[in-house]
Structure formats: C-alpha cells, structure tokens
C-alpha cells in the first residue's frame, strides 16, 4: 500500500481553507495546536526534500511549490502574534486573549483596566506559536532573520521560569497569585525545554533561565519499573510520555551544544536505558485484524480481556507468524492496549531520538509498521484516523505522517520530506526555526553569521 | 397605501392559497401593487410606450398626446412662451386623451431591500408584507418598553422618586421577568426579520451591566471552528466577567455552560474554583457535580485538576475526623470505580487515584484499603497494566517503609523482605494464569529490582516456560517474556554459553523476532 499523497494534500488543504466542524469545539482552547498541525502537515507534504525521491531521478526535479501559500504567510504570522500575551508567552487560542480594559455598567459603559490574566498564557500555546512562526517564515534569509521579531523573549522566559515547580516539573499555567496549575505532566517538560531552546534561554543568565538540573532529575524519577516513562514519579508508563522525556532531554542537550558531552542530559535523565529501549520496542505488536468500522472495538476488547484460559502457544506456531507477507505491526501506548496511529509516532520518535545519540539502539520493524498505518488507519478521505475505521482527525493525521517520515529516516517516505524528530517538524522548517533563533544570538555571534 | 381588502387581517390569514390567488389585491406582490399604483398616476400611452419600447411604436394620435403630456409637465411648461402654451392646450383639447400626472416615482423592484434569506421583499405578496410590517411594529413597541425598563432600573438604582405617584422607583422581580420575556420575543422577531441572533445572555436583563468582549480575530483566520449555537456569545461574556474579576452565582452558572461545550477550556476551571471560594460554596456539592461532568467527558484532562484542587481544600476540613476521611475515601473510590466501569485504563483516573491514595493515606490493607480493591481489578482483568502499575505504586511508595524519593527503577532498602517475597509470589501466581501476559512479567522484574534481588533468583520459575531450548525437536517456549528474562539472567551472570543461545533465540536484534513473539501476545490479548 502506498501513501495516498493526493488525498492527504486534500485533507490538509480542507483543514486549511474551511471552517473545522463543531466537533472541534472541545479543542477551541488549543487553536494554535490545530493551526500548527495543519501548517506542519502541508509543509511536510511539500517541503523541498519531499520531491527528492521522485521517479525522474535523471533530471533534477524542480523544488515543489509549498502548500503553505506565500501570499498567506504574513497573515498567518500576524494571527500567531495576535495571541501573544502583553506580558510575554502566548495564549492557546484567540478566545483566550483578553483586552487591556473592560467596560461595565447598566447604562453607559465605563472602561476600566482588566485584571492581570497571567493564567491565559499557556505552555502548549507558547510552544506551538514559536514553532509556527519559524514554520511560516519564507526560505529567504531576510524572512528567516525576522521570523521572531515581535516575540517578547524576556517576558516569555520570565514566565517560563515561574512555571517550574521546586521539584523540577512544569505546570500548564501560572496564576495571578504566582501559584502553578496543571498536572505534573511530561509533555510540559518537553515543551518547556523546546521553548527554552528557541528563545536561547541558556544564554540569559541564571536569574532568567529555568532550573535545568531540577528538570533532568524530575524526568529521571519518572521512569517506570518496566522501563517506560510515566507522566511523573511512580506513574504508569506510556509511550507519549516516553517521547516527551527523551525529546526534552535531547532539547536540553541541543541548547547546551557541549561538544565534549553532546548527550550529557540524555544520559543523566534516564536511569535504565536498556530497559527503556526494551519497553519501547515491545510497543510494536502484530495487528490481528479487528473488524474495520467496529467503533466499539476498544471497549469490547478491553471488556473481553480477563480470566485467561489461553493455551500456551508452541514455538512452531510462533514461527508461522513470522514476517513474511504483509504483517501489520501496530503500536500501542501501554502494554496490553490496542494499536493506535499516534503511538507509531511516539514510539518511533522516542527510539529515533535515542538512536541519534546512543550506539546500538534497537530499531522498529519499519515494513510492518508502515503497512499497519497505510492499510489500516490511512483514511479513504485523506488523513489518518486513531485506529482502523476511525474518521480522520488533525492530530492523528499529522502524527501518522510524522510516524511514516520518522520510520523512513534518511531514505524518506515517498511523497514526504525529511523530518526533524526532536521538533516533530519537517527538516527544512525545523532548520528555519533554528536559523531564526539567530535573532537573539549574542551580538558577536550574529555579526559573524551576517558576514 | 391602505389595503383595498375589507376583510379583517385574521380572516385573510385563514384563506387558502387558491383563494388568495383570486384575491387580486392580496396575492399581487408588493412591487406589482406599487407598479399598479404608479400606472394610475400616468396616462395609458406612457405605459404603452414603455412596454412597446419606444415612442416610434405608438400611433400618430398617441405620439401627439405623449408629446403634449410631456410638455405640460410644470417644469417643461415654463420654457414655453404664452403663445406656445396656448397652442399646446389647444392641441391637448383636440387630442382628447387623459393627461393625468401624479407625485409618485416609478417603483424599483429592489427598493424594499432583502429579508434574512436574501429574498427581495418587493417580491413578497402584500399579505406577507403586511405581516412583516406588523412584526416590525411589534419589535419597535417592545424596544420602547425595554427602554422604559432601563430607565426605571436607572432611577431605582439612584433612589429617585416618581413625581406622578410620589413613590420611589423600585424594580421588582416581575419587572425583570417581564423584560426577560420581552427580550425572548424580541430575539425571536429579530431572528425572523433580520437573521440577527440574540443569545441567552444578551436576552437576559441580568447580564445587561456586562459589556461582552468579542473574540478579536480577522475574517478567515486559521483553524476556525464552526461553533455551536450560543458558544461564541457565552465566551464573550466569560471574557468580560473574568477581565472584571467578578465572582457571583451568575458567573458560576456561566462557567457550567462553557464547560458543557468546551471542558478543555483551561482557565474556566480556575475561574470556577475562584467563584466557589468567594461564594463559600460547599466543596462536597461541587465534587458531586463534578462526578457527572467527568462521566460525560471521559477523556478530559482539566476536570481532574479541578477535582484535586477541591480535595486539597476539602481535606483539611475533615482531616480531624478519621471517620469522615474514611467516608470520603469510600465515596471517592466508588466514583473512581464508576469511571473504571467506562474505561478501566483511563490514565487521568489512575493518576487521580494515586493522588487520592497519598492525600488520604489509603496505603494499608484495612477496611477500605487500596490493595484489596486493586487485587479485585487484577482478578477482573489480569492484563490491566494500569492496575498492575497502581499496585506497584501502593507497595513501593508506602511511606511506612519506602523511601519517598526512591525511583521506580532502583532498589529501595527500606522495603521489608517479606513484602518483596509476597509480591514476587503474587506476580508468579498471575503469570501462571496467562504466561504470555506482559504486565506481571514487567511487574516481577520491577519487584526484584526494588527488592535489590538478582533476576537470577527467579531463574527456576522462568525456566518452566522455556523447555529444551535449542533442541529443535523438543523445544517448547510458553512465554516469550520468560525467554527474554532468561536472556537477561544469563547476561547478569556473565554466562555466554547457554545465555548466548537464549540471546540469539530471544532475538535481541528485536525487529522481526520480537514482533513475531509479541504477535502471539497481541493475538491472545485482542482475541479475548
């Protein structure tokens, strides 16, 4: 089965040009996330490297026209910056942007200052906003150099520091009284580490920078007894958190750019790497063909599990299941759960980050993982669903592409560009983000970069 | 123009379509009626000229009549000399054709505008048009009453006296209800006439002092959502009261409304809690209310932080009474179990359960002990990895003996040996039920690490599931996890002989072999 590129292009273009159905109302506080997935999907389907593997290998193929129209990019940039909070950081959505003054009164409305609304600044919102600004920059040097113009760097870093708890973990929002709300969630560590890297938080001095060692210790404590990573200390391991943990550590290493110890934090933050790899690799399971379109499959499957009277399976039977023909190798997020599109990304992404840094990291079975996605969760309407027969949604559609691009690596998946696994973004777009960071480089460095 | 029909309006409404067709004055459109009225104000040859498309199509007599009529227009007449005027009137007399002239401009089809569906109002039948006018009049009347309500409210708020009665202005609940009813009617009329929507907040006089804050966003913005009815309006009122830092019962109701549409709104929950605190609402009521919301939105994340916040504030109130804590623990567990009945692996719920265990100190195996409950869940589904994980937390985070900072992946010398023995035996018993179940194997490894014991201490147990290894004829692998564990045991012991064999067999290169081995697991698990 092939990647139905034309349909995916249609799917993302539909999301780009038309109003999303009202089912997305529960995502209304995360419109920056929806926007990011839409643009990143279009970008990955049309980045320069997405054309390199095409059939006419003889003549150099013309670089594809980006599906994020050049004419729209200024408007998109303004839309993102419109969600920046006056004190720094970004709100998750236009609906969370508060005015400076508010009017009250029965007859004539008298304006008076609005209260401090720090809690509207969202960690995911800030993460997606910054990456989107780099993503919608044009390839030319001027555009990249000014991608972050207008971002309140110091205000954002100050807010980010206040978001960190004494135990090293991060919350989601800071309240006006300084208290921190939100879970002790590994996703926040990853986003905080990425924001810090984008804003060069490591170059602003200790007073403004986050407590990196505290964060690394918090991550280290979150490894579960089975080798996977949990939301936080002593929780259940889950593949999404595993990716966030290793990617967070890797972003810290990237910011430090320590040639002597390039993987210092990655090694310090994982107490048992072998167990983690074992756990990650065992997330790939053979998909045994639950009927497509059976929307209750997960529930049914979970209910049916129970007293086990399964006879032991002899080795010879195991051998008969070997990878000949088209085996579908789905990925689950936790042991004994069903396969889900996004876990192909979280697992492949986590392993990829590890294998970039460490020797001899086991890899997944790409062929069967790819077949599972393309045959089972790739939607006939374009995009990907959560599992077989599910309708496509933006989240699984983008992460489905991300999984395919990640598993393909340097070889690239036909029709998709190269992928930056740490930023979960097309390689060229990730490079724009990186180059755009020069905006804040110390004067001497930026001078040499300009010269 | 007054209706020419002498029937009453109500009666006219009852007449059938066919009847209306015959009733000329009612079935003609507004434009047709205006056109007919216009025609009455001009001579027939002018209409004829227009319809035929030019003066040249008219007969000689009519041409002359038209020319005379044209020249008798007041403005034109002044250009003529007295003599010429005399000639003109003579000619008019000879032609003997009507010379009427009215003050009405020629009607245009679109001069009445369009209705909410984009239909030309000029194409309305007269009857339809009259109904529209009636509604507009009704709306104007209601607006006037609304203005007098607003004035009365203002006077009452300033303590003014009504000079006609000598009494102070007061605003009664009836007045407010009447205004509320008026707004409902106005909203319906506005929607019908102009397609304008008035949501539940702009129609409620209770919210009149709030100036909503609309969402500032350009047309065609990225990832716009087709909001359900009332959502945009509710959000604009929420922004307004949050910006003003208002805490009141109406704000509490507003948060409930928003939550029902967008439970992932990350600040509405914080704002709701602030309201509860300011209003000194009973926390237990809120927890009760939250039960229903959590069951409605199983995948929601914010609900659980709100619940934690409530428990954080509720616990100190009951902490002095062990009985109350017990009662609360019991009701919370009942709720958590109701959530598990919907999804026994819901991550947020398990996370909350850990929090609850810590907060209420539910460690020990007593009347309401967690360990009993979790054993029940593992008995229900031996593959529920979440339940296994919670058991691990219960056993190895128990503050009675465990080091609170000990990582899940490292030995904790504080854990008594008999507890480690108990857990090893428990995992082994469950493995026997389902040798290819990954969860208890992982658990067994975890227990051994925590207890500071070598993996080799369960070598004999693991070997039961892997027999005659390397002997193609007699080889029997009952569990790939046993095989993997044995490989690690041999590695731990530095044994390259038999261990190497197992290693090769277990396929540490992962790829195909692990997939194949795990395939059996997937089949077992998914086949039920």
């Amino acid at each position: 089965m092939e990647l139905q590129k034309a349909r995916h292009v249609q799917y993302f273009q539909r999301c780009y040009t038309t109003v999303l159905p009202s089912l997305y109302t529960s995502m209304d506080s995360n419109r920056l996330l929806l926007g990011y997935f839409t643009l990143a999907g279009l970008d990955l389907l049309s980045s320069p490297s997405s054309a390199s593997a095409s059939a006419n290998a003889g003549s150099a193929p013309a670089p594809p026209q980006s599906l994020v129209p050049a004419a729209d990019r200024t408007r998109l940039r303004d839309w993102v910056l419109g969600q920046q909070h006056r004190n720094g950081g970004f709100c998750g959505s236009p609906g969370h942007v508060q005015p400076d003054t508010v009017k009250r009164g029965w007859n004539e409305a008298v304006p008076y200052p609005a209260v401090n609304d720090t809690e509207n600044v969202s960690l995911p919102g800030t993460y997606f906003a910054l990456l989107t600004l780099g993503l919608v920059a044009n390839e030319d040097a001027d555009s990249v150099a000014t991608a972050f113009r207008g971002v309140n760097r110091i205000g954002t870093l100050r807010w980010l520091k206040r978001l960190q708890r004494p135990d090293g973990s991060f919350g989601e929002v800071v309240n006006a009284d300084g208290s921190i709300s939100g879970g002790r969630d590994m996703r926040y560590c990853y986003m905080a580490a990425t924001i810090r890297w984008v804003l060069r938080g490591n170059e602003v001095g200790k007073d403004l920078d986050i407590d990196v060692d505290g964060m690394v210790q918090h991550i280290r404590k979150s490894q579960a007894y089975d080798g996977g990573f949990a939301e936080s200390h002593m929780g259940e391991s889950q593949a999404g958190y595993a990716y966030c943990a290793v990617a967070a550590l890797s972003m810290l290493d990237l910011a430090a750019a320590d040639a002597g110890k390039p993987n210092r934090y990655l090694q310090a933050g994982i107490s048992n790497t072998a167990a983690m790899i074992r756990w990650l690799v065992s997330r790939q399971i053979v998909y045994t063909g639950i009927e497509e379109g059976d929307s209750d499959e997960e529930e049914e499957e979970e209910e049916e599990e129970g007293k086990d009277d399964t006879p032991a399976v002899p080795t010879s039977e195991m051998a008969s299941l070997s990878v000949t023909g088209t085996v579908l190798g789905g990925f689950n997020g936790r042991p004994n759960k069903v396969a889900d599109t996004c876990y192909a990304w979280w697992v492949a992404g986590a392993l990829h980050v590890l294998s970039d840094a460490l020797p001899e990291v086991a890899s997944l079975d790409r062929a069967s993982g790819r077949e599972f996605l393309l045959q089972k969760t790739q939607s006939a309407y374009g995009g990907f669903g959560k599992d077989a027969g599910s309708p496509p949604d933006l989240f699984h559609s983008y992460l489905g592409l991300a999984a395919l691009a990640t598993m393909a690596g340097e070889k690239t998946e036909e029709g998709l560009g190269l992928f930056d696994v740490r930023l979960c973004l097309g390689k060229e777009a990730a490079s724009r983000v990186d180059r755009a960071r020069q905006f804040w480089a110390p004067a001497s460095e930026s001078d040499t970069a300009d010269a | 123009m007054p209706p020419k029909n002498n029937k009453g309006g109500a009666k006219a409404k009852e007449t059938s379509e066919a009847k209306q067709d015959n009733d000329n004055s009612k079935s003609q459109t507004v434009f047709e009626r205006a056109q007919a009225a216009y025609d009455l104000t001009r001579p027939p040859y002018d209409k004829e000229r227009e319809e035929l498309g030019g003066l040249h199509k008219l007969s000689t007599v009519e041409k002359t009549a038209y020319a005379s009529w044209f020249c008798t227009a007041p403005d034109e007449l002044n250009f003529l000399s007295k003599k010429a005027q005399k000639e003109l009137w003579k000619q008019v007399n000879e032609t003997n054709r009507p010379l009427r002239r009215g003050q009405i401009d020629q009607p245009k089809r679109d001069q009445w505008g369009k209705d909410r569906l984009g239909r030309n109002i000029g194409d309305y039948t007269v009857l339809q048009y009259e109904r529209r006018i009636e509604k507009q009049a009704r709306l104007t009347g209601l607006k006037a009453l609304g203005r007098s309500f607003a004035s009365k409210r203002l006077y009452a708020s300033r303590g003014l006296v009504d000079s006609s009665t000598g009494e102070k202005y007061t605003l009664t609940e009836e007045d407010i209800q009447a205004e509320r009813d008026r707004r409902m009617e106005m909203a319906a009329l506005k929607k019908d006439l102009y397609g304008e929507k008035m949501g539940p907040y702009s129609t409620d006089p209770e919210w009149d002092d709030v100036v909503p804050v609309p969402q500032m966003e350009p047309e065609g913005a990225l990832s716009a959502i087709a909001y359900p009815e009332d959502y945009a309006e509710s959000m604009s009122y929420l922004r307004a009261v949050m910006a003003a830092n208002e805490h009141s019962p109406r704000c509490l109701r507003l948060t409930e409304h928003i939550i029902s549409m967008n439970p992932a709104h990350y600040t509405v929950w914080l704002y709701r809690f602030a309201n509860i605190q300011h209003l000194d609402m009973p926390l237990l009521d809120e927890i009760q209310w939250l039960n229903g919301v959590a069951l409605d939105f199983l995948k929601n994340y914010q609900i659980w932080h709100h619940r934690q916040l409530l428990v954080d504030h509720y616990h100190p109130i009951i902490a002095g009474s062990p009985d109350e804590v017990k009662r609360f623990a019991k009701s919370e567990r009942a709720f958590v179990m109701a959530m598990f009945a919907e999804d026994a692996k819901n991550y947020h719920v398990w996370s909350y359960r850990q929090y609850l265990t810590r907060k209420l100190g539910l460690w020990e195996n007593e009347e309401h002990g967690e360990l009993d409950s979790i054993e029940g869940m593992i008995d229900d589904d031996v593959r529920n990895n979440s339940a296994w994980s919670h058991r691990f937390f219960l056993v190895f985070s128990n503050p009675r003996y465990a080091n609170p900072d000990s990582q899940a992946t490292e030995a904790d010398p504080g854990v008594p040996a008999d507890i480690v023995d108990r857990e090893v035996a428990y995992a082994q018993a469950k493995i026997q039920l389902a040798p290819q179940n990954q969860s208890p194997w992982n658990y067994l490894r975890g227990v051994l690490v925590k207890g500071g014991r070598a993996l080799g201490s369960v070598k004999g147990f693991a070997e039961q599931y892997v027999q005659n290894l390397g002997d193609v004829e007699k080889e029997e692998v009952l569990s790939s996890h046993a095989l993997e564990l044995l490989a690690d045991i041999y590695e731990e012991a530095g044994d390259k002989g038999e261990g190497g064999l197992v290693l090769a067999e277990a396929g540490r290169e992962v790829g195909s072999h692990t997939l194949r081995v795990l395939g059996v697991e997937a089949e077992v698990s998914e086949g039920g």
Side-chain angles (χ1 to χ4, degrees):
Chain A
M1 189 96 181
E2 295 296 309
L3 181 75
Q4 303 293 314
K5 177 163 177 169
R7 286 184 187 157
H8 292 299
V9 168
Q10 262 180 6
Y11 176 81
F12 281 98
Q13 282 185 327
R14 209 157 47 230
C15 293
Y16 180 69
T17 51
T18 64
V19 174
L20 296 168
S22 57
L23 265 176
Y24 280 89
T25 302
S26 63
M27 298 288 282
D28 186 46
S29 291
N30 296 297
R31 296 244 325 261
L32 274 166
L33 171 152
L34 296 176
Y36 175 80
F37 282 149
T38 308
L39 295 172
L42 289 172
D43 180 82
L44 185 60
L45 285 160
S46 62
S47 66
S49 54
S50 69
S52 60
S54 58
N56 53 340
S59 59
Q65 186 81 31
S66 174
L67 291 168
V68 181
D72 291 354
R73 290 180 179 226
T74 308
R75 180 172 65 85
L76 292 167
R77 193 183 131 76
D78 291 346
W79 179 75
V80 173
L81 285 172
Q83 292 165 69
Q84 186 170 216
H85 192 268
R86 65 184 91 84
N87 299 338
F90 287 78
C91 304
S93 241
H96 282 264
V97 179
Q98 285 283 37
D100 293 341
T101 59
V102 61
K103 291 177 185 172
R104 296 278 285 203
W106 288 107
N107 269 32
E108 63 241 51
V110 190
Y112 62 92
V115 293
N116 181 9
D117 69 326
T118 327
E119 71 275 10
N120 275 313
V121 184
S122 133
L123 182 58
T126 306
Y127 166 87
F128 288 113
L130 291 175
L131 290 191
T132 305
L133 287 175
L135 169 61
V136 300
N138 290 311
E139 264 303 335
D140 62 283
D142 281 354
S143 179
V144 169
T146 56
F148 290 129
R149 178 172 288 165
V151 172
N152 181 348
R153 178 199 186 201
I154 298 301
T156 306
L157 285 171
R158 191 173 288 132
W159 159 82
L160 189 67
K161 189 176 172 64
R162 290 172 63 203
L163 201 54
Q164 190 173 24
R165 301 188 180 93
D167 67 1
S169 72
F170 282 79
E172 188 180 14
V173 300
V174 181
N175 298 301
D177 65 3
S179 61
I180 299 160
S181 292
R184 281 178 168 70
D185 190 321
M186 194 54 74
R187 290 176 295 182
Y188 300 155
C189 285
Y190 165 61
M191 289 170 175
T194 306
I195 291 167
R196 174 180 177 265
W197 170 76
V198 171
L199 298 178
R200 307 180 89 100
N202 52 319
E203 292 166 7
V204 291
K206 273 238 177 292
D207 291 348
L208 267 180
D209 195 13
I210 59 169
D211 172 11
V212 171
D213 292 330
M215 181 174 175
V216 173
Q217 279 315 304
H218 170 74
I219 295 175
R220 188 181 167 89
K221 273 180 78 177
S222 304
Q223 189 170 23
Y225 63 88
D226 57 9
F229 271 80
E231 180 183 54
S232 52
H233 185 215
M234 290 306 273
E236 185 186 7
S237 54
Q238 203 258 21
Y241 297 132
Y243 168 82
C244 289
V246 295
L249 295 166
S250 181
M251 290 313 294
L252 294 177
D253 278 325
L254 189 63
D258 185 341
K261 294 176 183 167
N263 306 309
R264 183 176 139 207
Y265 293 122
L266 196 63
Q267 280 161 347
I270 307 175
S271 63
N272 189 340
T273 314
M276 180 178 197
I277 293 167
R278 187 173 65 87
W279 185 87
L280 280 171
V281 168
S282 66
R283 298 284 53 78
Q284 191 171 23
I285 54 173
V286 167
Y287 179 81
T288 46
I290 304 157
E291 284 305 303
E292 276 189 47
D294 182 357
S295 58
D296 292 327
E297 63 191 34
E298 192 172 343
E299 284 85 336
E300 275 179 18
E301 187 267 323
E302 282 174 13
E303 276 165 29
E304 281 169 22
E305 288 174 22
K307 277 136 246 139
D308 188 52
D309 46 0
T310 318
V313 184
T315 328
S316 55
E317 246 176 76
M318 281 190 195
S320 70
L321 280 164
S322 77
V323 194
T324 50
T326 50
V327 168
L328 305 178
F331 295 82
N332 60 18
R334 292 179 262 167
N336 294 329
K337 293 269 286 180
V338 291
D340 177 327
T341 301
C342 70
Y343 290 113
W345 150 250
W346 298 119
V347 173
L351 275 172
H352 194 97
V353 173
L354 285 171
S355 65
D356 266 358
L358 309 170
E360 292 178 32
V361 171
S363 60
L364 299 165
D365 187 69
R366 182 191 170 203
S368 65
R370 188 174 171 275
E371 283 306 316
F372 168 73
L373 293 174
L374 294 178
Q375 286 187 30
K376 290 295 166 185
T377 71
Q378 179 170 234
S379 166
Y381 311 105
F384 288 82
K386 176 184 165 64
D387 42 29
S390 291
D393 63 80
L394 258 175
F395 180 79
H396 289 94
S397 296
Y398 183 63
L399 295 186
L401 295 182
L404 289 169
T406 302
M407 290 193 287
E410 293 301 315
K411 283 171 280 192
T412 74
E413 177 75 36
E414 174 71 45
L416 294 180
L418 290 166
F419 202 64
D420 186 298
V421 179
R422 279 193 282 212
L423 292 183
C424 191
L425 186 58
K427 199 127 207 158
E428 292 88 347
S431 152
R432 287 198 295 278
V433 175
D434 187 18
R435 281 176 287 145
R437 293 167 64 243
Q438 281 298 322
F439 187 66
W440 294 304
S444 56
E445 258 184 64
S446 70
D447 286 347
T448 45
D450 288 345
Chain B
M1 174 160 285
K4 297 204 169 157
N5 193 318
N6 53 8
K7 290 174 193 163
K11 202 175 169 192
K13 278 175 197 163
E14 287 161 19
T15 52
S16 67
E17 289 289 328
K19 186 88 186 289
Q20 280 185 35
D21 278 347
N22 297 335
D23 186 343
N24 226 3
S25 68
K26 288 290 180 188
S27 65
Q28 67 181 169
T29 68
V30 174
F31 172 69
E32 284 163 0
R33 186 176 67 175
Q35 184 69 37
Y38 174 66
D39 288 343
L40 288 174
T41 66
R42 60 174 174 169
Y45 46 77
D46 183 41
K47 188 184 178 205
E48 211 171 315
R49 175 194 60 88
E50 198 177 283
E51 281 167 4
L52 290 173
L55 196 60
H56 59 284
K57 296 272 177 71
L58 298 180
S59 69
T60 315
V61 179
E62 282 174 330
K63 268 185 206 156
T64 314
Y66 179 82
S68 313
W69 177 73
F70 185 84
C71 291
T72 56
D75 286 353
E76 302 294 332
L77 211 56
N78 291 338
F79 283 104
L80 299 178
S81 63
K82 289 273 185 245
K83 194 182 172 196
Q85 285 190 23
K86 206 174 165 187
E87 278 297 310
L88 178 64
W89 290 118
K90 190 182 166 197
Q91 189 179 302
V92 167
N93 269 334
E94 279 169 6
T95 324
N96 194 25
R97 306 298 290 246
L99 198 65
R100 58 178 180 255
R101 189 182 304 281
Q103 295 294 317
I104 307 176
D105 286 337
Q106 185 165 13
K108 293 188 185 70
R109 200 181 202 95
D110 57 1
Q111 73 182 51
W112 291 269
K114 292 188 170 167
D115 68 9
R116 72 186 158 93
L117 300 172
R119 216 183 122 190
N120 227 331
I121 291 170
D123 294 337
Y124 271 34
T125 66
V126 171
L127 189 67
Q128 285 172 321
Y129 185 66
E130 281 168 3
R131 283 184 198 154
R132 186 175 171 88
I133 296 289
E134 278 167 24
K135 284 178 189 169
Q136 284 171 327
R138 176 83 188 146
L139 186 58
T140 308
L142 290 170
K143 275 183 187 163
L145 290 171
R147 273 196 298 276
S148 92
F149 167 83
S151 307
K152 194 175 172 189
R153 182 170 58 196
L154 182 68
Y155 300 154
S157 72
R158 294 185 181 168
L160 300 183
V161 174
D162 184 348
S163 57
S164 62
T165 60
E167 284 170 19
K168 270 193 168 186
Y169 282 103
T170 49
L171 204 65
T172 62
E173 192 48 52
E174 286 79 56
D175 291 335
I176 296 171
Q177 189 53 48
E179 174 66 7
R180 199 171 280 138
D181 294 344
R182 265 197 298 278
R183 301 265 181 99
M184 298 298 276
E185 195 184 342
M186 282 163 72
L189 285 169
K190 276 189 179 174
K191 193 174 172 198
D192 185 23
L193 287 168
Y194 311 116
E196 281 175 23
K197 274 187 191 151
M198 272 177 87
Y201 297 94
S202 54
T203 50
D204 190 343
E206 200 199 338
W207 288 91
D208 281 358
D209 60 326
V210 176
V211 180
V213 177
Q215 186 158 313
M216 296 302 281
E217 197 175 17
E219 191 80 6
L222 188 58
S223 62
I225 298 167
Y227 294 137
E229 190 139 19
D230 302 342
Y231 179 75
E233 195 204 57
S234 320
M235 285 285 284
S236 62
Y237 277 83
L238 180 74
R239 278 186 290 271
V241 289
M242 282 178 78
N245 212 20
E246 176 184 331
H247 300 111
S248 62
R250 69 175 180 182
C251 293
L252 205 62
R253 289 196 299 275
L254 176 61
T255 60
E256 183 170 350
H257 189 199
I258 303 269
I259 286 166
S260 72
M261 293 181 282
N262 176 13
H265 189 295
Y266 56 88
T267 50
V268 77
W269 288 101
L270 303 170
Y271 178 61
R272 182 175 175 85
F273 187 75
N275 270 284
I276 287 168
Q277 280 198 305
H278 273 82
L279 298 172
D280 206 13
M281 304 272 294
L283 295 171
L284 218 47
D285 288 359
E286 178 72 1
I287 292 173
Q288 207 64 40
W289 171 80
L290 204 56
N291 289 356
V293 182
L295 284 162
D296 284 347
F297 301 104
L298 293 173
K299 295 283 177 192
N300 181 271
Y301 182 69
Q302 273 76 15
I303 289 172
W304 299 97
H305 300 297
H306 187 63
R307 200 177 186 92
Q308 282 196 17
L309 207 53
L310 292 168
V311 175
D312 280 344
H313 285 77
Y314 182 61
H315 183 246
I317 301 173
I318 58 167
S321 155
D323 278 353
E324 277 203 61
V325 173
K326 236 177 216 176
R327 198 161 40 237
F328 181 62
K330 196 176 169 188
S331 69
E332 282 302 276
R333 187 175 297 129
F335 162 69
V336 161
M337 293 310 279
M339 289 297 298
F340 287 147
E342 301 290 326
D343 176 4
K345 299 173 180 179
N346 187 322
Y347 203 98
H348 308 316
V349 187
W350 283 106
S351 232
Y352 176 70
R353 192 169 183 167
Q354 274 202 6
Y355 159 84
L356 210 59
T357 305
R358 283 201 173 100
K359 190 89 198 170
L360 305 181
L362 307 173
W363 304 97
E364 299 298 337
N365 208 2
E366 51 190 62
E367 193 190 347
H368 299 297
E370 282 284 280
L371 215 51
D372 277 346
S373 172
I374 216 67
E375 281 189 18
M377 287 196 75
I378 292 175
D379 287 344
D380 285 346
D381 176 5
V382 77
R383 290 197 173 78
N384 187 340
N385 195 64
S386 305
W388 281 100
S389 174
H390 190 71
R391 183 181 180 94
F392 193 86
F393 159 75
L394 282 179
V395 173
F396 296 107
S397 287
N398 189 332
R400 189 163 59 82
Y401 46 79
N403 169 10
D405 287 327
S406 173
Q407 277 172 220
T409 50
E410 68 185 11
D412 183 353
V415 180
D418 60 325
I419 288 185
V420 178
D421 290 342
R422 182 189 76 194
E423 293 308 306
V424 168
Y426 184 79
Q428 290 180 343
K430 298 300 171 188
I431 288 170
Q432 278 169 357
L433 294 176
Q436 194 49 34
N437 176 10
Q438 196 178 2
S439 296
W441 283 105
N442 283 342
Y443 188 82
L444 180 61
R445 281 172 179 260
V447 170
L448 293 173
V449 171
K450 266 284 171 201
R453 298 189 184 177
L455 296 179
S457 63
V458 294
K459 186 179 174 200
F461 174 78
E463 278 170 346
Q464 295 175 57
Y465 300 96
V466 183
Q467 284 154 16
N468 304 316
L469 195 59
D471 184 336
V472 183
E473 298 292 308
K474 296 182 195 160
E475 189 180 83
E476 212 178 345
V477 177
L478 302 179
S479 167
S480 64
H481 307 300
L483 198 63
E484 278 196 78
L485 182 59
L486 282 173
D488 285 342
I489 289 170
Y490 291 129
E491 200 179 309
E492 179 185 76
D495 184 343
K496 301 288 173 198
E498 201 183 348
L501 182 67
V502 177
L503 231 79
E505 179 66 26
R508 299 302 294 241
E509 295 300 316
V510 183
S512 62
H513 192 102
T514 301
L515 184 67
R516 145 161 77 95
V517 169
L518 291 168
V520 179
E521 174 187 60
E523 192 169 62
V524 170
S525 149
E526 298 192 338

